[in-house]
Amino acid sequence: MAFTLQIGEQAPDFRLPATDGRTWSLDDFKDARVLVIFFTCNHCPYVIGSDEVTRATALKYEPHGVRFVGINSNSENTKPEDSFENMVRRMEEHRFPWVYLRDETQEVAKAYGALRTPHFYVFDENRKLVYTGRGVDNPRDTSQMTVNDLDNALADVIAGRPVAVPLTNPIGCNVKWDGKDPHWMPVEACDLV
C-alpha cells in the first residue's frame, strides 16, 4: 500500500484546531467547489520561499470556489519554530488567505501521506484527489521557477478537464515526525513518481 494518498482516493476527514480559534473538519469546507489541502509549516525555506506564489494562486482561484487549507503537522519537539503559538504569530503577520490548522498528533499527515512541506493535495467537488505534489518547480526561489503545477492543475479542474499532470514529487523539507531524526521519513514513503 502506498504511503501517500493516491489519485482518485477520497479526502480523509479531520478535526483540527486553527489559528483563528476555531476547530475545523473536512465537512466545514463542503461549500468549496475545489479544496486544496496542503501540508506546510513556519520554518521551512521552501514554504517561506513559495508562500507568496501560493497566496497569489489561492486569490486567483477564490472567485471560482476554490478554498485552501494549510496544515502544520511538524513536531514542535523537533522544530520548536513550528509550535501553535508561532503559527498564530505567522498568520497575524502574513494574513494568508487560508485556514491554518495544527495536526499535533500527526495523524492527519499520516492519513494523507504527507511527505514534505509544502505538499499539495487538490480535491474535486466530490473530494476525490485529482492532483498531488509540488506547488511550483522551484519553491525555495520562485524567481527561478518555470512551472506552477498547482496553478496548472486548478486551471484544468475549473475548466472541467482532467488534470494533465496529476502527480509530481513535492519539493521541500520533510515532515518533522515526533521522536525521529529531523531527516527521517517512513520506509514506505518513497518518491511519488
Side-chain angles (χ1 to χ4, degrees):
M1 186 175 144
F3 179 76
T4 299
L5 205 62
Q6 300 293 290
I7 298 300
E9 289 188 325
Q10 200 73 35
D13 200 5
F14 54 80
R15 186 167 171 74
L16 296 171
T19 56
D20 64 5
R22 282 186 55 187
T23 297
W24 294 78
S25 70
L26 184 64
D27 198 49
D28 290 322
F29 302 96
K30 64 183 175 214
D31 61 328
R33 179 177 170 196
V34 177
L35 187 62
V36 178
I37 294 175
F38 66 107
F39 290 83
T40 186
C41 66
N42 299 329
H43 83 278
C44 173
Y46 297 89
V47 168
I48 293 166
S50 60
D51 267 339
E52 290 310 314
V53 171
T54 304
R55 180 199 303 271
T57 305
L59 293 174
K60 176 180 177 179
Y61 288 98
E62 188 176 38
H64 299 281
V66 178
R67 298 277 308 271
F68 276 60
V69 177
I71 300 177
N72 181 357
S73 299
N74 278 356
S75 167
E76 68 178 276
N77 294 322
T78 307
K79 282 288 180 186
E81 306 97 300
D82 284 324
S83 71
F84 186 75
E85 296 74 23
N86 286 328
M87 289 171 60
V88 171
R89 275 196 283 276
R90 185 159 160 68
M91 283 300 277
E92 285 172 353
E93 179 183 348
H94 295 284
R95 306 255 177 234
F96 293 120
W98 50 77
V99 175
Y100 194 16
L101 307 177
R102 179 67 175 139
D103 174 27
E104 190 170 358
T105 67
Q106 303 186 311
E107 289 305 313
V108 177
K110 290 173 187 164
Y112 281 76
L115 296 173
R116 301 194 176 278
T117 56
H119 188 165
F120 294 86
Y121 297 80
V122 177
F123 297 94
D124 67 12
E125 60 191 343
N126 300 312
R127 297 304 175 252
K128 299 279 189 193
L129 185 66
V130 295
Y131 173 80
T132 187
R134 66 191 188 188
V136 300
D137 65 343
N138 198 331
R140 194 168 184 151
D141 181 5
T142 54
S143 71
Q144 301 295 314
M145 76 180 192
T146 60
V147 63
N148 184 331
D149 294 283
L150 179 61
D151 185 278
N152 291 344
L154 290 172
D156 284 342
V157 176
I158 294 304
R161 299 184 300 260
V163 176
V165 180
L167 191 61
T168 60
N169 281 319
I171 300 171
C173 304
N174 61 303
V175 172
K176 305 306 180 205
W177 300 101
D178 196 43
K180 303 289 186 185
D181 178 86
H183 301 288
W184 181 87
M185 290 183 89
V187 173
E188 63 275 25
C190 60
D191 282 349
L192 297 182
V193 293

